[in-house]
C-alpha cells in the first residue's frame, strides 16, 4: 500500500464530519454501557450491528469501534466509584480503585483509569497499525498446552489478589472453579449439575456472577451501613484528577508493560480483557518497589488493570483483521458486523479493501482520543455518584442489577442466578473472603480443565506434551516459582498472619 | 375539540372493524403487528446475522416489521424452549438448527420436534474437511489413505462434541474403516487457529466459518460432506464423488430452519412461509448467502417435513453409533 494513497484514506475519514460524529456517539454510548453494571461492551457492539446496517461501512465501523473502546474504558467508572465492575474486564480495577475512592481520591483514580486506558489503547493501536501481519503468527503459536499453562499461571495470581489471607483467597478461587463446572462438559458434551434444566446447560455466565458477587453485597451493605465514603465536594479542577506528565513519566514502565501484556493477550483468541488485567496487575505488583501498597489504594494497580484491558482492544483486532479469527468476545461480534456489510475479515482484507483497513485504523485512533476527552469532561460528573445517599443509591443498583442480568440473554433465570450468587457473595464478603480470586477461578478454571484435556487428546494421554513446548514450559516454570516463593513467604510469616487473622 | 377526537376515534374503530371483518371473510391471515424471531444464539453469530439480513427485506417486500430476540444458552435449547411455550398465533417464530435435532436424538432435552411447526429451510451449511496450506496431504485421497494407514493418529478439530462436526469427522475415518482423534474446541475460530498454528492436523467446519481462510490460501479444503459440489467452492470435491461413503445413516446436514410453535393454523403457516421464503429468495439475500458461503434453498411443505424427518432419524442413529 502506498503511503500517499493511505494518507488520503486517513484524511478522508478525518475530514468526514458524519463519520467523526458517529464515532463520537459510539464512544459515548460505549462509556455509558461500560459504566453501567450489567451492560457490557459486547452488548453495545451487538446492538449496533443491525442499527448501523444502513450506514456506509466506515461510519458503522467507527461507531462500533468507539463503543468497543468506550465500553472497556467505561467499566472503570463503576469499579472505582461503587466497587462494581461495569464490564468483566474491570474486575481488577476494583481492587485498588475502590479503596482510592474510599480515601477520597475517586477523581484521581478515575483520572488515572482514563489516562491508562488511553495509553493502553494507543500502544495497542500502534501494534495493530504497524506490525499486525507480522505479529499475528505469534498468537497462532498458542495451542492447547500453551493455553493450559497460561491458565495455570493465571490461577497463581490468586496469591496476588487475595488480600490479607492467602487461605481465604484460595478458597474463594476454588468456589469460582466449582461454579464453572456447571453446564455442558467442554470436551465430551456430557451434562454436569444441570438438574434437567436447559438454562443451566451453558453454565453460569460471567456477567450474572459478577453482578451477584459485586453489586449485591454492595447493595446489602449500603442498606445496613451509613455512608462511609466522603468526598471533597468542592469544585474539581483538571489538575486534581488528570495525572501530570511527571506522574505519568514515573509510571512509564507500568503503563508500557501493562499495555503490552494487554495487546498480547488480546491477540490470543478466546482470552480477553479480564485475563489481561489480572496478568498485568500481577506483574505490576511483582515489579513494584512497594508491593504492600497494592490492594490498599495505589494508582499503580488502577493503571495496570486499565492499560491492560484497553490494550486488548487493538490486540484483539490483530487476528481478526489478518486471519479472520476474533481475539475476544467483542471482536467476535465485530466479525458478524463486517460480514453484514459484505466484508470478509481475513487475510485478503488488507489487499482487497485497503480503504476499510485504513478506516478501521483511523476511527480506532479517533475513538481512543474521544474516549479520553469525554472522560476528562465526564469525571467531574461521575464522582457526584458518591454524593448520592445510600437510600437512593441502593434501590437504583437493585434495578440496574436485575435489568442488567436479565438483558444479557433476555433470561429471567439469570436474574435468579444473580440473586443466589449475590447472597453467597454477601456471606463471603462478611467472612472476609476476597471476590477477585472467585472471578479468576470462574474464568480460568474451565480454561485450565478443557485445555489440559484437549492437550491430552492431542498427545494420546502423554503428559510430556506440556514439557516439550517452550511457551508451555515457560509458564509452568513461572507458576512453580510463584508457588514456591508464596509458600516460603507464608511459612515465614505464618505466626504473624495467624495473629492478624485472629484479631479480625 | 373533544367531539372532534371522539369522531376520529369512532372512525378508526369502524375502519378497524371493517379490516377485521374483511380478513375473516376472505380467510387469509395477515400479520397485524410485528413478528418476533427468536434467535437461540448470541448476537453477531451466523444465525443472528441471517435474521438481521432478512429483517429489512421483509419490511421492504411485505411491509411486515420483525423483532430479532436473542435468547442464547444451552446450545439453542433455551431459546427454543421459549418458542414452544409461546402462543401459536404466528407472531413468534424461531431459527432452529441441526443442533437441536441432535440434542433430541441424544435425549438431552425433554421435548421433541413434535412441539414445532416446521415452516421452511433457511440455510444448508454442508461441512467441509480442510487442512493447513503447508500440510503434506494435497487431496482427500492422500489424507484418507494416511488415516487408513494410521488409525487413531490423525487429529481433527471440531467446534464442539456430539454435533454434526463431530459426527462428520468420525464418519470420514469410518468410510475407510479407520479412526481419528477428534479434538473438540469451544467454537469454530479456535479450531481454525489450532490448524493454522499446526497444533491440530485437520478440521471439520462449515464453509461459512472457513471461506475467508480458504480464499486466502491459508486453509486447503479437501472434501465437502454433500451430494453435490458447492457453488461457492466449485473446485472442492465431495466425499461421494471420490468414492467415500460418509453418510451410511443418511445425510447429516448442518441446517438452520424456521419454526413456529406446534398447533399453528394452516393459513397462518402458509402466510409465514410466503413472507420468509419471499425474503430468502430475494436477490439480495441470495447474494448474501453466496458471499457468506451457505446454500439458501428454502424448501417447504411436505418436501420439507420429509427432509426434517430423515435428518432427525439420521442424527438419532449417529448419536447411538458414532458418539
Amino acid at each position: 500500500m502506498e503511503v500517499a494513497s493511505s494518507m488520503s484514506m486517513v484524511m478522508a475519514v478525518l475530514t468526514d464530519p458524519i463519520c467523526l460524529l458517529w464515532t463520537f456517539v459510539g464512544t459515548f454510548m460505549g462509556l455509558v454501557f461500560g459504566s453501567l453494571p450489567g451492560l457490557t461492551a459486547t452488548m453495545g457492539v451487538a446492538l449496533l450491528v443491525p442499527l448501523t446496517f444502513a450506514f456506509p461501512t466506515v461510519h458503522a465501523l467507527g461507531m462500533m469501534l468507539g463503543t468497543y473502546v468506550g465500553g472497556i474504558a467505561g467499566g472503570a467508572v463503576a469499579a472505582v466509584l461503587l466497587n462494581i465492575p461495569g464490564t468483566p474486564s474491570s474486575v481488577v480495577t476494583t481492587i485498588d480503585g475502590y479503596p482510592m475512592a474510599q480515601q477520597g481520591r475517586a477523581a484521581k483514580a478515575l483520572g488515572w483509569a482514563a489516562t491508562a486506558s488511553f495509553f493502553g489503547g494507543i500502544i495497542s493501536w500502534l501494534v495493530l497499525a504497524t506490525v499486525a501481519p507480522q505479529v499475528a503468527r505469534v498468537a497462532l503459536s498458542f495451542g492447547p498446552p500453551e493455553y493450559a499453562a497460561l491458565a495455570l499461571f493465571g490461577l497463581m495470581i490468586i496469591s496476588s489478589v487475595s488480600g490479607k489471607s492467602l487461605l481465604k483467597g484460595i478458597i474463594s478461587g476454588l468456589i469460582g472453579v466449582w461454579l464453572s463446572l456447571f453446564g455442558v462438559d467442554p470436551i465430551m458434551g456430557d451434562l454436569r449439575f444441570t438438574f434437567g434444566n436447559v438454562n443451566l446447560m451453558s453454565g453460569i455466565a460471567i456477567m450474572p456472577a459478577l453482578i451477584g458477587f459485586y453489586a449485591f453485597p454492595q447493595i446489602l451493605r449500603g442498606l445496613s451501613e451509613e455512608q462511609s465514603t466522603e468526598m471533597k465536594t468542592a469544585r474539581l479542577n483538571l489538575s486534581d484528577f488528570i495525572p501530570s506528565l511527571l506522574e505519568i513519566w514515573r509510571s512509564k514502565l507500568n503503563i508500557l508493560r501493562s499495555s503490552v501484556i494487554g495487546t498480547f493477550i488480546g491477540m490470543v483468541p478466546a482470552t480477553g480483557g479480564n485475563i489481561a488485567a489480572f496478568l498485568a496487575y500481577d506483574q505490576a505488583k511483582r515489579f513494584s518497589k512497594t508491593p504492600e501498597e497494592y490492594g490498599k489504594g495505589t494508582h499503580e494497580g488502577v493503571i495496570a488493570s486499565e492499560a491492560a484491558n484497553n490494550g486488548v482492544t487493538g490486540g484483539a483486532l490483530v487476528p481478526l483483521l489478518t486471519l479472520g479469527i476474533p481475539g475476544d468476545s467483542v471482536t467476535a461480534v465485530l466479525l458478524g458486523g463486517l460480514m453484514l456489510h459484505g466484508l470478509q475479515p481475513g487475510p485478503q482484507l488488507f489487499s482487497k479493501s485497503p480503504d476499510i483497513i485504513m478506516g478501521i485504523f483511523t476511527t480506532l485512533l479517533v475513538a481512543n482520543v474521544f474516549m479520553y476527552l469525554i472522560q476528562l469532561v465526564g469525571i467531574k460528573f461521575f464522582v457526584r455518584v458518591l454524593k448520592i445517599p445510600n437510600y437512593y443509591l441502593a434501590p437504583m443498583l437493585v434495578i440496574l442489577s436485575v435489568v442488567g442480568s436479565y438483558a444479557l440473554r433476555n433470561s429471567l433465570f439469570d436474574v435468579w442466578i444473580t440473586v443466589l450468587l449475590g447472597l453467597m457473595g454477601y456471606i463471603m464478603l462478611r467472612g472476609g473472603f476476597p471476590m477477585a480470586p472467585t472471578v479468576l477461578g470462574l474464568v480460568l478454571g474451565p480454561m485450565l480443565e478443557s485445555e489440559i484435556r484437549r492437550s491430552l487428546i492431542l498427545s494420546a494421554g502423554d503428559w510430556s506434551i506440556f514439557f516439550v513446548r517452550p511457551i508451555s514450559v515457560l509458564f509452568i516454570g513461572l507458576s512453580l516459582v510463584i508457588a514456591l516463593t508464596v509458600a516460603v513467604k507464608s511459612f515465614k510469616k505464618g505466626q504473624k498472619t495467624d495473629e492478624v487473622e485472629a484479631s479480625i | 375539540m373533544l367531539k372532534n377526537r371522539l369522531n376520529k376515534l369512532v372512525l378508526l374503530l369502524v375502519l378497524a372493524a371493517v379490516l377485521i371483518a374483511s380478513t375473516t371473510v376472505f380467510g387469509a391471515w395477515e400479520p397485524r403487528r410485528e413478528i418476533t424471531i427468536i434467535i437461540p444464539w448470541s448476537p453477531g453469530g451466523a444465525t443472528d446475522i441471517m435474521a438481521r439480513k432478512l429483517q429489512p427485506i421483509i419490511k421492504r417486500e411485505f411491509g411486515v416489521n420483525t423483532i430479532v430476540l436473542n435468547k442464547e444458552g444451552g446450545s439453542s435449547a433455551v431459546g427454543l424452549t421459549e418458542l414452544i411455550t409461546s402462543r401459536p398465533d404466528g407472531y413468534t417464530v424461531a431459527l432452529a438448527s441441526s443442533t437441536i435435532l441432535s440434542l433430541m436424538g441424544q435425549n438431552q432435552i425433554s421435548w421433541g420436534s413434535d412441539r414445532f411447526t416446521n415452516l421452511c429451510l433457511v440455510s444448508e451449511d454442508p461441512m467441509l474437511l480442510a487442512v493447513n496450506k503447508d500440510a503434506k496431504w494435497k487431496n482427500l485421497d492422500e489424507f484418507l489413505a494416511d488415516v487408513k494407514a494410521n488409525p487413531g493418529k490423525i487429529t481433527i478439530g471440531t467446534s464442539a462434541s456430539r454435533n454434526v462436526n463431530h459426527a462428520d469427522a468420525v464418519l470420514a475415518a469410518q468410510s475407510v474403516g479407520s479412526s481419528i482423534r477428534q479434538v473438540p474446541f469451544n467454537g469454530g475460530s479456535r479450531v481454525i487457529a489450532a490448524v493454522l498454528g499446526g497444533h491440530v492436523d485437520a478440521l471439520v467446519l462449515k464453509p461459512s466459518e472457513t471461506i475467508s481462510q480458504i480464499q486466502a490460501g491459508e486453509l486447503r479444503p479437501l472434501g465437502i460432506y454433500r451430494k453435490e459440489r458447492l457453488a461457492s467452492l466449485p473446485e472442492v470435491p465431495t466425499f461421494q464423488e471420490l468414492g467415500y461413503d460418509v453418510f451410511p445413516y443418511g445425510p447429516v446436514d448442518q441446517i438452520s430452519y424456521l419454526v413456529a410453535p406446534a398447533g399453528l393454523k394452516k393459513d397462518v403457516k402458509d402466510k409465514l412461509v410466503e413472507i420468509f421464503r419471499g425474503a430468502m429468495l430475494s436477490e439480495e439475500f441470495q447474494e448474501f448467502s453466496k458471499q457468506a458461503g451457505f446454500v439458501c434453498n428454502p424448501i417447504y411443505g411436505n418436501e420439507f417435513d420429509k427432509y426434517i424427518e430423515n435428518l432427525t432419524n439420521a442424527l438419532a442413529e449417529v448419536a447411538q453409533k458414532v458418539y
Side-chain angles (χ1 to χ4, degrees):
Chain A
M1 205 188 304
E2 283 177 43
V3 179
S5 69
S6 53
M7 269 318 286
S8 73
M9 288 173 207
V10 171
M11 286 317 289
V13 173
L14 289 179
T15 53
D16 181 350
I18 309 290
C19 183
L20 293 182
L21 174 72
W22 288 128
T23 308
F24 181 84
V25 171
T27 313
F28 186 81
M29 203 187 107
L31 281 165
V32 173
F33 264 65
S35 55
L36 291 176
L39 304 181
T40 63
T42 319
M43 272 172 78
V45 176
L47 267 176
L48 285 179
V49 169
L51 211 70
T52 55
F53 183 57
F55 285 28
T57 309
V58 174
H59 294 186
L61 284 171
M63 199 169 178
M64 289 193 258
L65 290 171
T67 309
Y68 185 17
V69 170
I72 302 286
V77 176
V80 168
L81 298 177
L82 302 168
N83 200 22
I84 303 168
T87 60
S89 57
S90 55
V91 167
V92 183
T93 313
T94 62
I95 301 174
D96 279 291
Y98 187 60
M100 279 181 83
Q102 284 179 311
Q103 294 155 16
R105 295 188 293 146
K108 193 85 196 177
L110 290 175
W112 269 115
T115 309
S117 296
F118 178 69
F119 276 101
I122 295 299
I123 289 170
S124 71
W125 177 85
L126 273 174
V127 172
L128 173 72
T130 53
V131 289
Q134 288 78 18
V135 291
R137 299 277 150 189
V138 178
L140 291 182
S141 62
F142 265 66
E146 284 77 18
Y147 276 97
L150 176 67
L152 177 73
F153 178 65
L155 283 171
M156 292 296 153
I157 296 172
I158 287 178
S159 66
S160 279
V161 295
S162 283
K164 294 184 190 101
S165 162
L166 182 63
L167 182 67
K168 283 183 176 172
I170 291 173
I171 294 174
S172 292
L174 289 176
I175 290 175
V177 173
W178 172 66
L179 289 173
S180 77
L181 295 177
F182 286 69
V184 175
D185 171 324
I187 301 296
M188 301 304 291
D190 292 321
L191 301 177
R192 298 195 295 212
F193 303 132
T194 60
F195 310 105
N197 189 327
V198 288
N199 288 295
L200 272 171
M201 276 171 70
S202 41
I204 293 172
I206 178 86
M207 224 30 223
L210 280 189
I211 300 172
F213 281 142
Y214 283 90
F216 266 73
Q218 207 64 15
I219 293 163
L220 293 173
R221 204 166 61 173
L223 293 174
S224 59
E225 285 169 22
E226 285 297 306
Q227 191 99 339
S228 58
T229 324
E230 279 187 27
M231 263 292 300
K232 279 185 281 181
T233 51
R235 266 173 195 282
L236 280 166
N237 293 315
L238 269 186
S239 58
D240 290 334
F241 57 92
I242 297 303
S244 67
L245 284 177
L246 183 68
E247 286 176 299
I248 293 173
W249 182 249
R250 279 199 207 116
S251 299
K252 59 184 181 298
L253 280 180
N254 188 3
I255 293 174
L256 191 67
R257 182 176 49 234
S258 305
S259 304
V260 169
I261 290 176
T263 310
F264 179 74
I265 293 296
M267 287 193 292
V268 176
T271 54
N274 45 12
I275 296 178
F278 271 112
L279 286 173
Y281 185 87
D282 179 60
Q283 291 308 309
K285 190 175 174 182
R286 266 172 229 294
F287 279 96
S288 169
K289 291 192 189 88
T290 53
E292 68 281 355
E293 295 292 317
Y294 281 72
K296 292 176 189 154
T298 169
H299 62 276
E300 296 289 342
V302 176
I303 294 174
S305 172
E306 287 301 312
N309 64 31
N310 268 75
V312 164
T313 54
L317 285 166
V318 170
L320 177 74
L321 297 181
T322 55
L323 302 164
I325 300 168
D328 68 353
S329 57
V330 186
T331 39
V333 179
L334 269 179
L335 177 87
L338 282 166
M339 285 183 63
L340 207 54
H341 279 275
L343 293 165
Q344 195 61 258
Q348 289 182 309
L349 199 59
F350 274 83
S351 51
K352 267 191 182 167
S353 324
D355 52 326
I356 300 294
I357 292 285
M358 289 320 285
I360 290 176
F361 289 174
T362 315
T363 50
L364 183 66
L365 182 66
V366 170
N368 272 294
V369 173
F370 281 155
M371 179 268 290
Y372 198 35
L373 292 179
I374 296 172
Q375 294 222 73
L376 291 192
V377 179
I379 288 173
K380 286 182 186 181
F381 301 99
F382 297 155
V383 291
R384 294 192 185 164
V385 169
L386 292 178
K387 291 200 290 181
I388 302 174
N390 270 333
Y391 47 84
Y392 288 136
L393 193 61
M396 273 158 64
L397 285 176
V398 172
I399 294 170
L400 267 180
S401 304
V402 172
V403 170
S405 47
Y406 177 80
L408 286 163
R409 298 195 289 193
N410 294 314
S411 157
L412 201 58
F413 183 82
D414 280 350
V415 177
W416 291 116
I417 290 282
T418 304
V419 173
L420 263 179
L421 295 183
L423 291 174
M424 201 172 121
Y426 184 65
I427 296 167
M428 284 171 65
L429 192 81
R430 276 287 152 117
F433 289 91
M435 284 300 146
T438 313
V439 178
L440 209 51
L442 190 60
V443 174
L444 293 178
M447 183 165 150
L448 183 66
E449 182 210 336
S450 62
E451 301 295 350
I452 286 181
R453 291 172 66 186
R454 210 165 276 145
S455 306
L456 290 176
I457 293 177
L458 285 176
S459 70
D462 186 354
W463 286 82
S464 69
I465 188 170
F466 297 105
F467 304 104
V468 292
R469 302 167 63 121
I471 300 177
S472 157
V473 169
L474 174 76
F475 280 123
I476 294 175
L478 286 173
S479 309
L480 279 178
V481 170
I482 294 176
L484 282 175
T485 35
V486 171
V488 170
K489 250 189 212 166
S490 55
F491 182 73
K492 275 185 188 165
K493 288 199 302 187
Q495 294 280 222
K496 253 192 207 166
T497 329
D498 285 344
E499 281 164 28
V500 174
E501 261 179 50
S503 68
I504 291 174
Chain B
M1 189 67 187
L2 185 72
K3 206 172 178 187
N4 203 355
R5 273 195 195 166
L6 262 175
N7 279 340
K8 271 188 187 164
L9 190 71
V10 169
L11 193 70
L12 263 175
L13 280 174
V14 170
L15 268 175
V18 168
L19 256 173
I20 293 166
S22 65
T23 52
T24 40
V25 167
F26 297 109
W29 179 82
E30 289 285 340
R32 278 187 215 92
R33 54 185 169 90
E34 70 286 344
I35 297 173
T36 301
I37 310 172
I38 297 178
I39 300 299
W41 304 99
S42 62
T47 319
D48 181 59
I49 299 284
M50 282 181 208
R52 311 259 181 208
K53 192 84 191 178
L54 283 173
Q55 267 187 308
I57 305 176
I58 291 175
K59 170 79 183 154
R60 195 180 60 224
E61 309 272 319
F62 299 93
V64 176
N65 284 314
T66 50
I67 298 172
V68 170
L69 178 67
N70 295 91
K71 254 188 118 76
E72 59 178 300
S75 305
S76 80
V78 172
L80 293 172
T81 304
E82 169 102 356
L83 174 92
I84 60 164
T85 51
S86 60
R87 285 174 51 178
D89 55 6
Y91 293 108
T92 313
V93 296
L95 274 182
S97 68
S98 302
T99 309
I100 197 75
L101 295 175
S102 187
L103 288 178
M104 289 170 187
Q106 298 163 44
N107 293 320
Q108 292 229 23
I109 45 173
S110 58
W111 44 271
S113 50
D114 55 320
R115 302 289 300 271
F116 290 146
T117 302
N118 297 329
L119 297 175
C120 63
L121 186 63
V122 177
S123 73
E124 186 206 335
D125 233 347
M127 296 290 164
L128 63 79
L129 179 77
V131 294
N132 190 309
K133 64 170 194 287
D134 300 321
K136 58 180 175 179
W137 311 285
K138 302 284 178 242
N139 53 48
L140 190 60
D141 288 328
E142 284 182 31
F143 182 79
L144 287 180
D146 206 6
V147 169
K148 191 171 184 179
N150 298 293
K153 283 268 159 58
I154 289 170
T155 51
I156 300 186
T158 62
S159 55
S161 265
R162 296 189 188 173
N163 56 3
V164 174
N165 306 57
H166 178 178
D168 282 348
V170 175
L171 289 169
Q174 285 186 358
S175 72
V176 289
S178 184
S179 62
I180 47 97
R181 280 212 298 276
Q182 175 247 356
V183 192
F185 285 85
N186 185 10
S189 35
R190 269 296 304 281
V191 185
I192 298 171
V195 170
L196 293 186
H199 308 290
V200 173
D201 295 323
L203 58 78
V204 172
L205 287 177
K206 297 180 271 193
S208 56
E209 292 170 300
T210 46
I211 196 156
S212 147
Q213 289 80 18
I214 290 174
Q215 283 172 351
E218 295 280 337
L219 287 177
R220 178 185 298 146
L222 297 182
I224 298 244
Y225 292 83
R226 194 166 185 254
K227 281 187 202 131
E228 300 119 44
R229 291 193 181 201
L230 263 185
S232 54
L233 291 166
E235 69 286 356
V236 186
T238 69
F239 278 80
Q240 209 126 7
E241 67 181 72
L242 295 176
Y244 303 104
D245 181 17
V246 283
F247 294 141
Y249 314 111
V252 277
D253 295 338
Q254 180 68 39
I255 59 158
S256 66
Y257 64 111
L258 194 70
V259 292
L264 198 68
K265 284 203 187 89
K266 174 92 171 56
D267 58 332
V268 182
K269 180 181 171 182
D270 290 347
K271 187 69 198 176
L272 286 176
V273 169
E274 183 197 327
I275 292 174
F276 281 91
R277 275 193 84 229
M280 280 176 234
L281 290 171
S282 69
E283 203 175 309
E284 190 182 343
F285 195 78
Q286 288 292 321
E287 187 54 40
F288 170 71
S289 75
K290 282 200 196 82
Q291 179 214 340
F294 65 87
V295 182
C296 177
N297 172 27
I299 56 170
Y300 67 105
N302 290 338
E303 187 190 359
F304 183 54
D305 287 337
K306 189 77 202 151
Y307 178 88
I308 289 289
E309 198 188 315
N310 287 340
L311 183 59
T312 308
N313 293 339
L315 283 167
E317 205 166 334
V318 161
Q320 283 180 2
K321 295 186 179 152
V322 175
Y323 302 141

